[in-house]
Amino acid sequence: MLPWLSDEEVTSLCDPLTQRSAQRRWLTARYGKAIEAKPNGRPLVPRYLFNQPSSLTAVKSATEPDREAFMKAIGRRKP
């Protein structure tokens, strides 16, 4: 197994993004680490980033609102 994701894996991970620079920006935001480019411009994603259990938590926090914090904030407000 390669130490980085294949082009096909990156493409399926970034679907529907097709532009290489957009994929790199999205992956950088998702994993919180700068994603380098291969010589052909495609993102070079280390496999350890994808396989880390903590990365799943980062994905959730980056893509979904924190409903619990929102409800706490609303509950503190006086009508």
Side-chain angles (χ1 to χ4, degrees), residues 4-62:
W4 54 84
L5 298 180
S6 69
D7 290 343
E8 292 80 21
E9 290 171 316
V10 171
T11 300
S12 67
L13 183 65
C14 296
D15 190 45
L17 299 175
T18 57
Q19 294 182 348
R20 296 168 182 177
S21 59
Q23 290 174 340
R24 283 199 337 264
R25 284 191 307 267
W26 184 78
L27 289 164
T28 296
R30 180 174 182 171
Y31 292 107
K33 299 199 185 242
I35 301 296
E36 299 295 325
K38 294 179 184 178
N40 65 2
R42 292 191 177 268
L44 179 63
V45 182
R47 193 167 293 278
Y48 76 88
L49 281 179
F50 186 71
N51 290 334
Q52 287 179 348
S54 62
S55 67
L56 297 176
T57 306
V59 170
K60 182 178 179 185
S61 65

Side-chain angles (χ1 to χ4, degrees), residues 57-71:
T57 306
V59 170
K60 182 178 179 185
S61 65
T63 59
E64 295 181 14
D66 188 350
R67 291 179 177 89
E68 185 176 326
F70 178 72
M71 295 307 288

